[in-house]
Amino acid sequence: MTERHIIRPSEANERDVFEYALLRVVPRVERGECINAGVLVYCRARSYVGARTHLDEARLLALDPDADVAGIRAALGAVEGVCAGGDAAGQAARDDAGRRFRWLIAPRSTVVQPGPVHTGLTVDPAAETERLLDLLVR
């Protein structure tokens, strides 16, 4: 007989709802091929918005040998900067975490694109960001 983990009400209350979206790099839109290059996480209850990116250059160049690696890295870095806030976020620095997340998941680029938004439960949104990066990107 297997042992099941039963979530007690106190444990369930410790976890908060979060939303996440993958950042995809689509080097040649006409071909529709993409690689996952980052993850955005938003947790309203913790006023958290975070992004972690990882660009696998070899995979990118396998899809498009002429891809603008420096430009793509800059775009991914800008996403991380908006999440971090401060001067790196530019005008978005004044916005709350939710507004920055919504701004970042709005489609705007043909090369770096946000995927659909998914939800989950977490006790630590920053750790969840790392977990999702390892699971879905690296």
Side-chain angles (χ1 to χ4, degrees), residues 46-74:
R46 309 254 177 140
S47 297
Y48 174 86
V49 64
R52 292 283 288 123
T53 62
H54 172 80
L55 182 61
D56 185 333
E57 249 183 77
R59 288 180 68 202
L60 173 63
L61 294 174
L63 294 180
D64 182 5
D66 297 324
D68 179 6
V69 175
I72 292 167
R73 283 196 188 283

mmCIF file with all atom_site columns, all heavy atoms in Angstrom, residues 46-74:
data_model
loop_
_atom_site.group_PDB
_atom_site.id
_atom_site.type_symbol
_atom_site.label_atom_id
_atom_site.label_alt_id
_atom_site.label_comp_id
_atom_site.label_asym_id
_atom_site.label_entity_id
_atom_site.label_seq_id
_atom_site.pdbx_PDB_ins_code
_atom_site.Cartn_x
_atom_site.Cartn_y
_atom_site.Cartn_z
_atom_site.occupancy
_atom_site.B_iso_or_equiv
_atom_site.pdbx_formal_charge
_atom_site.auth_seq_id
_atom_site.auth_comp_id
_atom_site.auth_asym_id
_atom_site.auth_atom_id
_atom_site.pdbx_PDB_model_num
ATOM 1   N N   . ARG A 1 46 ? 2.303  37.839 -2.896  1.00 0.00 ? 46 ARG A N   1
ATOM 2   C CA  . ARG A 1 46 ? 3.634  38.216 -2.398  1.00 0.00 ? 46 ARG A CA  1
ATOM 3   C C   . ARG A 1 46 ? 4.203  39.438 -3.120  1.00 0.00 ? 46 ARG A C   1
ATOM 4   O O   . ARG A 1 46 ? 5.374  39.768 -2.930  1.00 0.00 ? 46 ARG A O   1
ATOM 5   C CB  . ARG A 1 46 ? 4.596  37.043 -2.569  1.00 0.00 ? 46 ARG A CB  1
ATOM 6   C CG  . ARG A 1 46 ? 4.066  35.735 -2.013  1.00 0.00 ? 46 ARG A CG  1
ATOM 7   C CD  . ARG A 1 46 ? 4.720  35.348 -0.751  1.00 0.00 ? 46 ARG A CD  1
ATOM 8   N NE  . ARG A 1 46 ? 4.102  34.118 -0.239  1.00 0.00 ? 46 ARG A NE  1
ATOM 9   C CZ  . ARG A 1 46 ? 4.765  33.141 0.309   1.00 0.00 ? 46 ARG A CZ  1
ATOM 10  N NH1 . ARG A 1 46 ? 6.068  33.230 0.429   1.00 0.00 ? 46 ARG A NH1 1
ATOM 11  N NH2 . ARG A 1 46 ? 4.135  32.092 0.776   1.00 0.00 ? 46 ARG A NH2 1
ATOM 12  N N   . SER A 1 47 ? 3.397  40.053 -3.968  1.00 0.00 ? 47 SER A N   1
ATOM 13  C CA  . SER A 1 47 ? 3.858  41.198 -4.772  1.00 0.00 ? 47 SER A CA  1
ATOM 14  C C   . SER A 1 47 ? 5.174  40.869 -5.472  1.00 0.00 ? 47 SER A C   1
ATOM 15  O O   . SER A 1 47 ? 6.099  41.675 -5.501  1.00 0.00 ? 47 SER A O   1
ATOM 16  C CB  . SER A 1 47 ? 4.017  42.446 -3.904  1.00 0.00 ? 47 SER A CB  1
ATOM 17  O OG  . SER A 1 47 ? 2.778  42.831 -3.375  1.00 0.00 ? 47 SER A OG  1
ATOM 18  N N   . TYR A 1 48 ? 5.228  39.686 -6.023  1.00 0.00 ? 48 TYR A N   1
ATOM 19  C CA  . TYR A 1 48 ? 6.462  39.201 -6.651  1.00 0.00 ? 48 TYR A CA  1
ATOM 20  C C   . TYR A 1 48 ? 6.286  39.106 -8.155  1.00 0.00 ? 48 TYR A C   1
ATOM 21  O O   . TYR A 1 48 ? 5.291  38.566 -8.642  1.00 0.00 ? 48 TYR A O   1
ATOM 22  C CB  . TYR A 1 48 ? 6.827  37.813 -6.107  1.00 0.00 ? 48 TYR A CB  1
ATOM 23  C CG  . TYR A 1 48 ? 7.997  37.172 -6.811  1.00 0.00 ? 48 TYR A CG  1
ATOM 24  C CD1 . TYR A 1 48 ? 9.299  37.432 -6.415  1.00 0.00 ? 48 TYR A CD1 1
ATOM 25  C CD2 . TYR A 1 48 ? 7.799  36.316 -7.895  1.00 0.00 ? 48 TYR A CD2 1
ATOM 26  C CE1 . TYR A 1 48 ? 10.378 36.855 -7.061  1.00 0.00 ? 48 TYR A CE1 1
ATOM 27  C CE2 . TYR A 1 48 ? 8.872  35.733 -8.549  1.00 0.00 ? 48 TYR A CE2 1
ATOM 28  C CZ  . TYR A 1 48 ? 10.160 36.008 -8.129  1.00 0.00 ? 48 TYR A CZ  1
ATOM 29  O OH  . TYR A 1 48 ? 11.227 35.440 -8.780  1.00 0.00 ? 48 TYR A OH  1
ATOM 30  N N   . VAL A 1 49 ? 7.247  39.620 -8.872  1.00 0.00 ? 49 VAL A N   1
ATOM 31  C CA  . VAL A 1 49 ? 7.370  39.355 -10.298 1.00 0.00 ? 49 VAL A CA  1
ATOM 32  C C   . VAL A 1 49 ? 8.851  39.101 -10.550 1.00 0.00 ? 49 VAL A C   1
ATOM 33  O O   . VAL A 1 49 ? 9.712  39.842 -10.075 1.00 0.00 ? 49 VAL A O   1
ATOM 34  C CB  . VAL A 1 49 ? 6.815  40.497 -11.192 1.00 0.00 ? 49 VAL A CB  1
ATOM 35  C CG1 . VAL A 1 49 ? 7.579  41.783 -11.029 1.00 0.00 ? 49 VAL A CG1 1
ATOM 36  C CG2 . VAL A 1 49 ? 6.781  40.066 -12.649 1.00 0.00 ? 49 VAL A CG2 1
ATOM 37  N N   . GLY A 1 50 ? 9.130  38.008 -11.228 1.00 0.00 ? 50 GLY A N   1
ATOM 38  C CA  . GLY A 1 50 ? 10.518 37.660 -11.477 1.00 0.00 ? 50 GLY A CA  1
ATOM 39  C C   . GLY A 1 50 ? 10.671 36.958 -12.808 1.00 0.00 ? 50 GLY A C   1
ATOM 40  O O   . GLY A 1 50 ? 9.730  36.351 -13.326 1.00 0.00 ? 50 GLY A O   1
ATOM 41  N N   . ALA A 1 51 ? 11.857 37.062 -13.349 1.00 0.00 ? 51 ALA A N   1
ATOM 42  C CA  . ALA A 1 51 ? 12.181 36.384 -14.604 1.00 0.00 ? 51 ALA A CA  1
ATOM 43  C C   . ALA A 1 51 ? 13.581 35.819 -14.502 1.00 0.00 ? 51 ALA A C   1
ATOM 44  O O   . ALA A 1 51 ? 14.471 36.430 -13.903 1.00 0.00 ? 51 ALA A O   1
ATOM 45  C CB  . ALA A 1 51 ? 12.096 37.346 -15.790 1.00 0.00 ? 51 ALA A CB  1
ATOM 46  N N   . ARG A 1 52 ? 13.739 34.665 -15.082 1.00 0.00 ? 52 ARG A N   1
ATOM 47  C CA  . ARG A 1 52 ? 15.060 34.057 -15.213 1.00 0.00 ? 52 ARG A CA  1
ATOM 48  C C   . ARG A 1 52 ? 15.162 33.591 -16.648 1.00 0.00 ? 52 ARG A C   1
ATOM 49  O O   . ARG A 1 52 ? 14.208 33.045 -17.209 1.00 0.00 ? 52 ARG A O   1
ATOM 50  C CB  . ARG A 1 52 ? 15.217 32.880 -14.255 1.00 0.00 ? 52 ARG A CB  1
ATOM 51  C CG  . ARG A 1 52 ? 15.249 33.267 -12.813 1.00 0.00 ? 52 ARG A CG  1
ATOM 52  C CD  . ARG A 1 52 ? 16.585 33.858 -12.346 1.00 0.00 ? 52 ARG A CD  1
ATOM 53  N NE  . ARG A 1 52 ? 17.555 32.779 -12.280 1.00 0.00 ? 52 ARG A NE  1
ATOM 54  C CZ  . ARG A 1 52 ? 18.713 32.766 -12.941 1.00 0.00 ? 52 ARG A CZ  1
ATOM 55  N NH1 . ARG A 1 52 ? 19.076 33.780 -13.692 1.00 0.00 ? 52 ARG A NH1 1
ATOM 56  N NH2 . ARG A 1 52 ? 19.533 31.754 -12.844 1.00 0.00 ? 52 ARG A NH2 1
ATOM 57  N N   . THR A 1 53 ? 16.312 33.823 -17.242 1.00 0.00 ? 53 THR A N   1
ATOM 58  C CA  . THR A 1 53 ? 16.505 33.450 -18.634 1.00 0.00 ? 53 THR A CA  1
ATOM 59  C C   . THR A 1 53 ? 17.760 32.604 -18.799 1.00 0.00 ? 53 THR A C   1
ATOM 60  O O   . THR A 1 53 ? 18.685 32.669 -17.990 1.00 0.00 ? 53 THR A O   1
ATOM 61  C CB  . THR A 1 53 ? 16.612 34.700 -19.538 1.00 0.00 ? 53 THR A CB  1
ATOM 62  O OG1 . THR A 1 53 ? 17.742 35.470 -19.159 1.00 0.00 ? 53 THR A OG1 1
ATOM 63  C CG2 . THR A 1 53 ? 15.342 35.536 -19.453 1.00 0.00 ? 53 THR A CG2 1
ATOM 64  N N   . HIS A 1 54 ? 17.751 31.833 -19.848 1.00 0.00 ? 54 HIS A N   1
ATOM 65  C CA  . HIS A 1 54 ? 18.907 31.005 -20.214 1.00 0.00 ? 54 HIS A CA  1
ATOM 66  C C   . HIS A 1 54 ? 18.814 30.769 -21.719 1.00 0.00 ? 54 HIS A C   1
ATOM 67  O O   . HIS A 1 54 ? 17.880 30.112 -22.183 1.00 0.00 ? 54 HIS A O   1
ATOM 68  C CB  . HIS A 1 54 ? 18.892 29.677 -19.459 1.00 0.00 ? 54 HIS A CB  1
ATOM 69  C CG  . HIS A 1 54 ? 19.946 28.726 -19.941 1.00 0.00 ? 54 HIS A CG  1
ATOM 70  N ND1 . HIS A 1 54 ? 21.263 28.819 -19.552 1.00 0.00 ? 54 HIS A ND1 1
ATOM 71  C CD2 . HIS A 1 54 ? 19.867 27.685 -20.796 1.00 0.00 ? 54 HIS A CD2 1
ATOM 72  C CE1 . HIS A 1 54 ? 21.956 27.863 -20.146 1.00 0.00 ? 54 HIS A CE1 1
ATOM 73  N NE2 . HIS A 1 54 ? 21.129 27.168 -20.906 1.00 0.00 ? 54 HIS A NE2 1
ATOM 74  N N   . LEU A 1 55 ? 19.751 31.322 -22.451 1.00 0.00 ? 55 LEU A N   1
ATOM 75  C CA  . LEU A 1 55 ? 19.745 31.159 -23.904 1.00 0.00 ? 55 LEU A CA  1
ATOM 76  C C   . LEU A 1 55 ? 20.753 30.093 -24.300 1.00 0.00 ? 55 LEU A C   1
ATOM 77  O O   . LEU A 1 55 ? 21.954 30.250 -24.066 1.00 0.00 ? 55 LEU A O   1
ATOM 78  C CB  . LEU A 1 55 ? 20.072 32.485 -24.599 1.00 0.00 ? 55 LEU A CB  1
ATOM 79  C CG  . LEU A 1 55 ? 20.046 32.461 -26.121 1.00 0.00 ? 55 LEU A CG  1
ATOM 80  C CD1 . LEU A 1 55 ? 18.663 32.090 -26.641 1.00 0.00 ? 55 LEU A CD1 1
ATOM 81  C CD2 . LEU A 1 55 ? 20.476 33.809 -26.681 1.00 0.00 ? 55 LEU A CD2 1
ATOM 82  N N   . ASP A 1 56 ? 20.263 29.012 -24.873 1.00 0.00 ? 56 ASP A N   1
ATOM 83  C CA  . ASP A 1 56 ? 21.117 27.939 -25.371 1.00 0.00 ? 56 ASP A CA  1
ATOM 84  C C   . ASP A 1 56 ? 21.530 28.339 -26.794 1.00 0.00 ? 56 ASP A C   1
ATOM 85  O O   . ASP A 1 56 ? 20.791 28.122 -27.757 1.00 0.00 ? 56 ASP A O   1
ATOM 86  C CB  . ASP A 1 56 ? 20.351 26.620 -25.357 1.00 0.00 ? 56 ASP A CB  1
ATOM 87  C CG  . ASP A 1 56 ? 21.212 25.433 -25.752 1.00 0.00 ? 56 ASP A CG  1
ATOM 88  O OD1 . ASP A 1 56 ? 22.194 25.604 -26.505 1.00 0.00 ? 56 ASP A OD1 1
ATOM 89  O OD2 . ASP A 1 56 ? 20.888 24.321 -25.296 1.00 0.00 ? 56 ASP A OD2 1
ATOM 90  N N   . GLU A 1 57 ? 22.712 28.930 -26.885 1.00 0.00 ? 57 GLU A N   1
ATOM 91  C CA  . GLU A 1 57 ? 23.185 29.463 -28.167 1.00 0.00 ? 57 GLU A CA  1
ATOM 92  C C   . GLU A 1 57 ? 23.285 28.391 -29.241 1.00 0.00 ? 57 GLU A C   1
ATOM 93  O O   . GLU A 1 57 ? 22.931 28.636 -30.401 1.00 0.00 ? 57 GLU A O   1
ATOM 94  C CB  . GLU A 1 57 ? 24.558 30.122 -27.989 1.00 0.00 ? 57 GLU A CB  1
ATOM 95  C CG  . GLU A 1 57 ? 24.511 31.608 -28.144 1.00 0.00 ? 57 GLU A CG  1
ATOM 96  C CD  . GLU A 1 57 ? 25.889 32.220 -28.038 1.00 0.00 ? 57 GLU A CD  1
ATOM 97  O OE1 . GLU A 1 57 ? 26.668 32.145 -29.020 1.00 0.00 ? 57 GLU A OE1 1
ATOM 98  O OE2 . GLU A 1 57 ? 26.171 32.811 -26.982 1.00 0.00 ? 57 GLU A OE2 1
ATOM 99  N N   . ALA A 1 58 ? 23.755 27.217 -28.874 1.00 0.00 ? 58 ALA A N   1
ATOM 100 C CA  . ALA A 1 58 ? 23.915 26.145 -29.869 1.00 0.00 ? 58 ALA A CA  1
ATOM 101 C C   . ALA A 1 58 ? 22.564 25.755 -30.463 1.00 0.00 ? 58 ALA A C   1
ATOM 102 O O   . ALA A 1 58 ? 22.446 25.573 -31.684 1.00 0.00 ? 58 ALA A O   1
ATOM 103 C CB  . ALA A 1 58 ? 24.594 24.937 -29.231 1.00 0.00 ? 58 ALA A CB  1
ATOM 104 N N   . ARG A 1 59 ? 21.549 25.624 -29.628 1.00 0.00 ? 59 ARG A N   1
ATOM 105 C CA  . ARG A 1 59 ? 20.208 25.283 -30.132 1.00 0.00 ? 59 ARG A CA  1
ATOM 106 C C   . ARG A 1 59 ? 19.655 26.398 -31.005 1.00 0.00 ? 59 ARG A C   1
ATOM 107 O O   . ARG A 1 59 ? 19.039 26.153 -32.040 1.00 0.00 ? 59 ARG A O   1
ATOM 108 C CB  . ARG A 1 59 ? 19.259 25.004 -28.970 1.00 0.00 ? 59 ARG A CB  1
ATOM 109 C CG  . ARG A 1 59 ? 19.559 23.683 -28.286 1.00 0.00 ? 59 ARG A CG  1
ATOM 110 C CD  . ARG A 1 59 ? 18.626 23.402 -27.143 1.00 0.00 ? 59 ARG A CD  1
ATOM 111 N NE  . ARG A 1 59 ? 17.285 23.173 -27.650 1.00 0.00 ? 59 ARG A NE  1
ATOM 112 C CZ  . ARG A 1 59 ? 16.187 23.306 -26.938 1.00 0.00 ? 59 ARG A CZ  1
ATOM 113 N NH1 . ARG A 1 59 ? 16.249 23.666 -25.679 1.00 0.00 ? 59 ARG A NH1 1
ATOM 114 N NH2 . ARG A 1 59 ? 15.007 23.079 -27.467 1.00 0.00 ? 59 ARG A NH2 1
ATOM 115 N N   . LEU A 1 60 ? 19.866 27.657 -30.564 1.00 0.00 ? 60 LEU A N   1
ATOM 116 C CA  . LEU A 1 60 ? 19.399 28.802 -31.343 1.00 0.00 ? 60 LEU A CA  1
ATOM 117 C C   . LEU A 1 60 ? 20.052 28.814 -32.722 1.00 0.00 ? 60 LEU A C   1
ATOM 118 O O   . LEU A 1 60 ? 19.371 28.949 -33.741 1.00 0.00 ? 60 LEU A O   1
ATOM 119 C CB  . LEU A 1 60 ? 19.695 30.108 -30.599 1.00 0.00 ? 60 LEU A CB  1
ATOM 120 C CG  . LEU A 1 60 ? 19.423 31.390 -31.369 1.00 0.00 ? 60 LEU A CG  1
ATOM 121 C CD1 . LEU A 1 60 ? 17.942 31.519 -31.700 1.00 0.00 ? 60 LEU A CD1 1
ATOM 122 C CD2 . LEU A 1 60 ? 19.911 32.591 -30.579 1.00 0.00 ? 60 LEU A CD2 1
ATOM 123 N N   . LEU A 1 61 ? 21.369 28.655 -32.756 1.00 0.00 ? 61 LEU A N   1
ATOM 124 C CA  . LEU A 1 61 ? 22.086 28.711 -34.028 1.00 0.00 ? 61 LEU A CA  1
ATOM 125 C C   . LEU A 1 61 ? 21.798 27.502 -34.905 1.00 0.00 ? 61 LEU A C   1
ATOM 126 O O   . LEU A 1 61 ? 21.930 27.582 -36.127 1.00 0.00 ? 61 LEU A O   1
ATOM 127 C CB  . LEU A 1 61 ? 23.583 28.890 -33.780 1.00 0.00 ? 61 LEU A CB  1
ATOM 128 C CG  . LEU A 1 61 ? 23.947 30.238 -33.140 1.00 0.00 ? 61 LEU A CG  1
ATOM 129 C CD1 . LEU A 1 61 ? 25.422 30.295 -32.776 1.00 0.00 ? 61 LEU A CD1 1
ATOM 130 C CD2 . LEU A 1 61 ? 23.547 31.407 -34.045 1.00 0.00 ? 61 LEU A CD2 1
ATOM 131 N N   . ALA A 1 62 ? 21.360 26.390 -34.309 1.00 0.00 ? 62 ALA A N   1
ATOM 132 C CA  . ALA A 1 62 ? 20.942 25.236 -35.109 1.00 0.00 ? 62 ALA A CA  1
ATOM 133 C C   . ALA A 1 62 ? 19.656 25.566 -35.874 1.00 0.00 ? 62 ALA A C   1
ATOM 134 O O   . ALA A 1 62 ? 19.450 25.101 -36.998 1.00 0.00 ? 62 ALA A O   1
ATOM 135 C CB  . ALA A 1 62 ? 20.729 24.015 -34.217 1.00 0.00 ? 62 ALA A CB  1
ATOM 136 N N   . LEU A 1 63 ? 18.788 26.388 -35.243 1.00 0.00 ? 63 LEU A N   1
ATOM 137 C CA  . LEU A 1 63 ? 17.553 26.809 -35.925 1.00 0.00 ? 63 LEU A CA  1
ATOM 138 C C   . LEU A 1 63 ? 17.815 27.903 -36.942 1.00 0.00 ? 63 LEU A C   1
ATOM 139 O O   . LEU A 1 63 ? 17.168 27.964 -37.983 1.00 0.00 ? 63 LEU A O   1
ATOM 140 C CB  . LEU A 1 63 ? 16.527 27.300 -34.908 1.00 0.00 ? 63 LEU A CB  1
ATOM 141 C CG  . LEU A 1 63 ? 15.963 26.269 -33.945 1.00 0.00 ? 63 LEU A CG  1
ATOM 142 C CD1 . LEU A 1 63 ? 14.969 26.928 -33.002 1.00 0.00 ? 63 LEU A CD1 1
ATOM 143 C CD2 . LEU A 1 63 ? 15.306 25.127 -34.702 1.00 0.00 ? 63 LEU A CD2 1
ATOM 144 N N   . ASP A 1 64 ? 18.734 28.801 -36.610 1.00 0.00 ? 64 ASP A N   1
ATOM 145 C CA  . ASP A 1 64 ? 19.033 29.914 -37.507 1.00 0.00 ? 64 ASP A CA  1
ATOM 146 C C   . ASP A 1 64 ? 20.479 30.340 -37.315 1.00 0.00 ? 64 ASP A C   1
ATOM 147 O O   . ASP A 1 64 ? 20.797 31.073 -36.371 1.00 0.00 ? 64 ASP A O   1
ATOM 148 C CB  . ASP A 1 64 ? 18.102 31.099 -37.238 1.00 0.00 ? 64 ASP A CB  1
ATOM 149 C CG  . ASP A 1 64 ? 18.354 32.266 -38.180 1.00 0.00 ? 64 ASP A CG  1
ATOM 150 O OD1 . ASP A 1 64 ? 19.182 32.148 -39.107 1.00 0.00 ? 64 ASP A OD1 1
ATOM 151 O OD2 . ASP A 1 64 ? 17.710 33.314 -37.982 1.00 0.00 ? 64 ASP A OD2 1
ATOM 152 N N   . PRO A 1 65 ? 21.379 29.910 -38.189 1.00 0.00 ? 65 PRO A N   1
ATOM 153 C CA  . PRO A 1 65 ? 22.795 30.266 -38.052 1.00 0.00 ? 65 PRO A CA  1
ATOM 154 C C   . PRO A 1 65 ? 23.061 31.777 -38.088 1.00 0.00 ? 65 PRO A C   1
ATOM 155 O O   . PRO A 1 65 ? 24.097 32.236 -37.614 1.00 0.00 ? 65 PRO A O   1
ATOM 156 C CB  . PRO A 1 65 ? 23.459 29.583 -39.253 1.00 0.00 ? 65 PRO A CB  1
ATOM 157 C CG  . PRO A 1 65 ? 22.507 28.509 -39.672 1.00 0.00 ? 65 PRO A CG  1
ATOM 158 C CD  . PRO A 1 65 ? 21.138 29.004 -39.308 1.00 0.00 ? 65 PRO A CD  1
ATOM 159 N N   . ASP A 1 66 ? 22.101 32.552 -38.614 1.00 0.00 ? 66 ASP A N   1
ATOM 160 C CA  . ASP A 1 66 ? 22.272 34.005 -38.703 1.00 0.00 ? 66 ASP A CA  1
ATOM 161 C C   . ASP A 1 66 ? 21.528 34.753 -37.603 1.00 0.00 ? 66 ASP A C   1
ATOM 162 O O   . ASP A 1 66 ? 21.368 35.981 -37.690 1.00 0.00 ? 66 ASP A O   1
ATOM 163 C CB  . ASP A 1 66 ? 21.787 34.502 -40.071 1.00 0.00 ? 66 ASP A CB  1
ATOM 164 C CG  . ASP A 1 66 ? 22.612 33.924 -41.209 1.00 0.00 ? 66 ASP A CG  1
ATOM 165 O OD1 . ASP A 1 66 ? 23.836 33.759 -41.040 1.00 0.00 ? 66 ASP A OD1 1
ATOM 166 O OD2 . ASP A 1 66 ? 22.017 33.590 -42.258 1.00 0.00 ? 66 ASP A OD2 1
ATOM 167 N N   . ALA A 1 67 ? 21.078 34.054 -36.574 1.00 0.00 ? 67 ALA A N   1
ATOM 168 C CA  . ALA A 1 67 ? 20.312 34.699 -35.491 1.00 0.00 ? 67 ALA A CA  1
ATOM 169 C C   . ALA A 1 67 ? 21.147 35.779 -34.814 1.00 0.00 ? 67 ALA A C   1
ATOM 170 O O   . ALA A 1 67 ? 22.366 35.640 -34.651 1.00 0.00 ? 67 ALA A O   1
ATOM 171 C CB  . ALA A 1 67 ? 19.882 33.653 -34.467 1.00 0.00 ? 67 ALA A CB  1
ATOM 172 N N   . ASP A 1 68 ? 20.484 36.846 -34.428 1.00 0.00 ? 68 ASP A N   1
ATOM 173 C CA  . ASP A 1 68 ? 21.129 37.963 -33.733 1.00 0.00 ? 68 ASP A CA  1
ATOM 174 C C   . ASP A 1 68 ? 21.236 37.621 -32.246 1.00 0.00 ? 68 ASP A C   1
ATOM 175 O O   . ASP A 1 68 ? 20.409 38.025 -31.433 1.00 0.00 ? 68 ASP A O   1
ATOM 176 C CB  . ASP A 1 68 ? 20.304 39.239 -33.941 1.00 0.00 ? 68 ASP A CB  1
ATOM 177 C CG  . ASP A 1 68 ? 20.888 40.449 -33.230 1.00 0.00 ? 68 ASP A CG  1
ATOM 178 O OD1 . ASP A 1 68 ? 21.995 40.360 -32.666 1.00 0.00 ? 68 ASP A OD1 1
ATOM 179 O OD2 . ASP A 1 68 ? 20.210 41.494 -33.236 1.00 0.00 ? 68 ASP A OD2 1
ATOM 180 N N   . VAL A 1 69 ? 22.254 36.863 -31.887 1.00 0.00 ? 69 VAL A N   1
ATOM 181 C CA  . VAL A 1 69 ? 22.419 36.375 -30.518 1.00 0.00 ? 69 VAL A CA  1
ATOM 182 C C   . VAL A 1 69 ? 22.517 37.543 -29.533 1.00 0.00 ? 69 VAL A C   1
ATOM 183 O O   . VAL A 1 69 ? 21.863 37.540 -28.489 1.00 0.00 ? 69 VAL A O   1
ATOM 184 C CB  . VAL A 1 69 ? 23.644 35.438 -30.405 1.00 0.00 ? 69 VAL A CB  1
ATOM 185 C CG1 . VAL A 1 69 ? 23.881 35.024 -28.959 1.00 0.00 ? 69 VAL A CG1 1
ATOM 186 C CG2 . VAL A 1 69 ? 23.460 34.212 -31.291 1.00 0.00 ? 69 VAL A CG2 1
ATOM 187 N N   . ALA A 1 70 ? 23.302 38.554 -29.870 1.00 0.00 ? 70 ALA A N   1
ATOM 188 C CA  . ALA A 1 70 ? 23.465 39.706 -28.961 1.00 0.00 ? 70 ALA A CA  1
ATOM 189 C C   . ALA A 1 70 ? 22.136 40.438 -28.762 1.00 0.00 ? 70 ALA A C   1
ATOM 190 O O   . ALA A 1 70 ? 21.792 40.825 -27.638 1.00 0.00 ? 70 ALA A O   1
ATOM 191 C CB  . ALA A 1 70 ? 24.526 40.660 -29.505 1.00 0.00 ? 70 ALA A CB  1
ATOM 192 N N   . GLY A 1 71 ? 21.371 40.609 -29.828 1.00 0.00 ? 71 GLY A N   1
ATOM 193 C CA  . GLY A 1 71 ? 20.076 41.279 -29.726 1.00 0.00 ? 71 GLY A CA  1
ATOM 194 C C   . GLY A 1 71 ? 19.082 40.480 -28.902 1.00 0.00 ? 71 GLY A C   1
ATOM 195 O O   . GLY A 1 71 ? 18.321 41.041 -28.102 1.00 0.00 ? 71 GLY A O   1
ATOM 196 N N   . ILE A 1 72 ? 19.102 39.168 -29.064 1.00 0.00 ? 72 ILE A N   1
ATOM 197 C CA  . ILE A 1 72 ? 18.200 38.308 -28.299 1.00 0.00 ? 72 ILE A CA  1
ATOM 198 C C   . ILE A 1 72 ? 18.588 38.323 -26.824 1.00 0.00 ? 72 ILE A C   1
ATOM 199 O O   . ILE A 1 72 ? 17.731 38.434 -25.941 1.00 0.00 ? 72 ILE A O   1
ATOM 200 C CB  . ILE A 1 72 ? 18.196 36.878 -28.885 1.00 0.00 ? 72 ILE A CB  1
ATOM 201 C CG1 . ILE A 1 72 ? 17.537 36.900 -30.269 1.00 0.00 ? 72 ILE A CG1 1
ATOM 202 C CG2 . ILE A 1 72 ? 17.499 35.899 -27.942 1.00 0.00 ? 72 ILE A CG2 1
ATOM 203 C CD1 . ILE A 1 72 ? 17.738 35.641 -31.084 1.00 0.00 ? 72 ILE A CD1 1
ATOM 204 N N   . ARG A 1 73 ? 19.884 38.252 -26.547 1.00 0.00 ? 73 ARG A N   1
ATOM 205 C CA  . ARG A 1 73 ? 20.344 38.337 -25.146 1.00 0.00 ? 73 ARG A CA  1
ATOM 206 C C   . ARG A 1 73 ? 19.928 39.674 -24.526 1.00 0.00 ? 73 ARG A C   1
ATOM 207 O O   . ARG A 1 73 ? 19.520 39.726 -23.374 1.00 0.00 ? 73 ARG A O   1
ATOM 208 C CB  . ARG A 1 73 ? 21.852 38.168 -25.059 1.00 0.00 ? 73 ARG A CB  1
ATOM 209 C CG  . ARG A 1 73 ? 22.309 36.749 -25.195 1.00 0.00 ? 73 ARG A CG  1
ATOM 210 C CD  . ARG A 1 73 ? 23.749 36.573 -24.707 1.00 0.00 ? 73 ARG A CD  1
ATOM 211 N NE  . ARG A 1 73 ? 24.233 35.258 -25.006 1.00 0.00 ? 73 ARG A NE  1
ATOM 212 C CZ  . ARG A 1 73 ? 23.921 34.162 -24.328 1.00 0.00 ? 73 ARG A CZ  1
ATOM 213 N NH1 . ARG A 1 73 ? 23.094 34.233 -23.311 1.00 0.00 ? 73 ARG A NH1 1
ATOM 214 N NH2 . ARG A 1 73 ? 24.421 32.987 -24.663 1.00 0.00 ? 73 ARG A NH2 1
ATOM 215 N N   . ALA A 1 74 ? 20.023 40.747 -25.289 1.00 0.00 ? 74 ALA A N   1
ATOM 216 C CA  . ALA A 1 74 ? 19.634 42.074 -24.783 1.00 0.00 ? 74 ALA A CA  1
ATOM 217 C C   . ALA A 1 74 ? 18.140 42.109 -24.472 1.00 0.00 ? 74 ALA A C   1
ATOM 218 O O   . ALA A 1 74 ? 17.716 42.655 -23.440 1.00 0.00 ? 74 ALA A O   1
ATOM 219 C CB  . ALA A 1 74 ? 20.004 43.153 -25.798 1.00 0.00 ? 74 ALA A CB  1
#
